[in-house]
Amino acid sequence: HGSIPMAVIALGAGNAQQESALASALANAKIPADVDGEASIELFLVDSSISLLSEGYELATEQLASFSIPICAIEGDFNRLPTFSDMFSARGPRRKVFTLLGYTVGNLDNELTFLRDCLICANRGDLLLIDAVLRHDEERDVQASLKHDPMAKILAAGGTVKTNRLVSFLAGPVARHYGEDSLKVGIRAVSDSGVIPNSYSVEFWVSIETPEGSKQFVTAGWRRYQIKPLCAAFERLGWKAVEKWSFNPERPSTLVLFQRQ
């Protein structure tokens, strides 16, 4: 797909590690410059957290310095993407590559509403790259599927706020307010009526003992998918899966590239 210049639009970029690696790989593909002689690859980092955005911009600037890739950091909610999409739609011809990495697609309230309403700025031929955690196909019950979940394996291996960076990040809002001493973490599988058939949600919860009694908080949630229903649902809205890459059994997830038809 690298025959024309590309604008990589990293939605929910966070610390931009994966997005910077993608931009670097595209730069190494030596795509020709555009008709005005501008760089063939440009990178837009979009995140609502200014602290994460600053960290991501610094990392991307450092890792991509040798390629002279223009990098633009946009503090904003990608669920309101149409309100600022003109920032990366002005130049052409340039193919847009939207990314939802770090399992961000599993955090969306409604995946199909996002495609329909937020990616309205996408043109035919534009690309969408997502990674998603897969549901264990051999298990029909969501509670049985939970034992295969990557987060469950982290906690089973003794992952705590003090020993695991991901657990510390997810429990951070509660830990910073109440302290870590009596804090406990866990996950729950929730079978709900999501818009993607055969999907279910996993919630990360934190419990804490306070003078007022026990309190529980859900600080994060992700959806787990079967790949065929996910791709079929996206294709009904004009986004066809053109390539998939699976990770190893220790990381039961997949990377999927869609193209706007």
Side-chain angles (χ1 to χ4, degrees):
H1 297 280
S3 59
I4 63 174
M6 294 184 173
V8 179
I9 302 153
L11 306 177
N15 59 22
Q17 290 185 354
Q18 298 179 79
E19 293 82 358
S20 298
L22 173 62
S24 176
L26 291 173
N28 279 318
K30 302 194 183 305
I31 300 168
D34 69 12
V35 293
D36 298 320
E38 299 289 344
S40 58
I41 304 298
E42 53 187 8
L43 177 62
F44 296 87
L45 303 175
V46 181
D47 206 287
S48 58
S49 167
I50 188 61
S51 58
L52 281 175
L53 190 62
S54 298
E55 180 182 343
Y57 181 81
E58 182 177 348
L59 184 143
T61 301
E62 179 181 342
Q63 292 196 357
L64 302 174
S66 61
F67 297 110
S68 300
I69 292 177
I71 304 171
C72 178
I74 303 173
E75 182 188 5
D77 179 1
F78 65 73
N79 289 298
R80 302 181 65 234
L81 191 64
T83 64
F84 54 87
S85 62
D86 56 340
M87 297 183 68
F88 47 78
S89 300
R91 292 203 309 219
R94 188 170 289 267
R95 175 169 287 150
K96 293 187 286 294
V97 184
F98 299 94
T99 69
L100 281 172
L101 300 178
Y103 309 136
T104 303
V105 68
N107 295 132
L108 299 176
D109 291 334
N110 187 310
E111 301 90 338
L112 303 187
T113 297
F114 170 79
L115 291 181
R116 185 183 64 241
D117 297 344
C118 300
L119 293 188
I120 195 172
C121 55
N123 300 317
R124 184 175 184 180
D126 285 345
L127 300 166
L128 169 64
L129 184 67
I130 70 169
D131 59 358
V133 180
L134 302 182
R135 175 175 182 170
H136 200 273
D137 285 336
E138 296 178 3
E139 305 287 1
R140 294 182 178 273
D141 179 70
V142 297
Q143 299 302 326
S145 296
L146 192 60
K147 65 185 179 183
H148 304 285
D149 196 90
M151 199 69 224
K153 293 180 179 179
I154 290 174
L155 297 180
T160 67
V161 174
K162 296 181 179 179
T163 63
N164 187 277
R165 291 183 62 186
L166 177 58
V167 174
S168 177
F169 174 76
L170 295 174
V174 180
R176 286 190 292 272
H177 187 77
Y178 291 101
E180 300 177 359
D181 293 339
S182 61
L183 184 149
K184 296 180 181 180
V185 297
I187 58 173
R188 297 189 181 111
V190 181
S191 180
D192 54 23
S193 54
V195 297
I196 307 298
N198 300 335
S199 64
Y200 69 93
S201 294
V202 173
E203 295 176 347
F204 182 89
W205 56 270
V206 182
S207 63
I208 191 79
E209 295 297 329
T210 73
E212 295 80 27
S214 178
K215 295 184 178 182
Q216 292 188 343
F217 305 87
V218 176
T219 62
W222 314 269
R223 187 164 290 279
R224 306 320 197 192
Y225 304 94
Q226 289 181 334
I227 193 63
K228 289 183 179 179
L230 175 66
C231 292
F234 276 40
E235 186 168 1
R236 287 195 293 271
L237 289 183
W239 290 91
K240 183 178 181 180
V242 294
E243 189 61 83
K244 297 186 288 289
W245 301 268
S246 295
F247 294 96
N248 60 49
E250 293 302 312
R251 187 182 177 187
S253 54
T254 191
L255 192 68
V256 190
L257 181 68
F258 296 90
Q259 188 163 38
R260 188 75 171 89
Q261 303 300 296

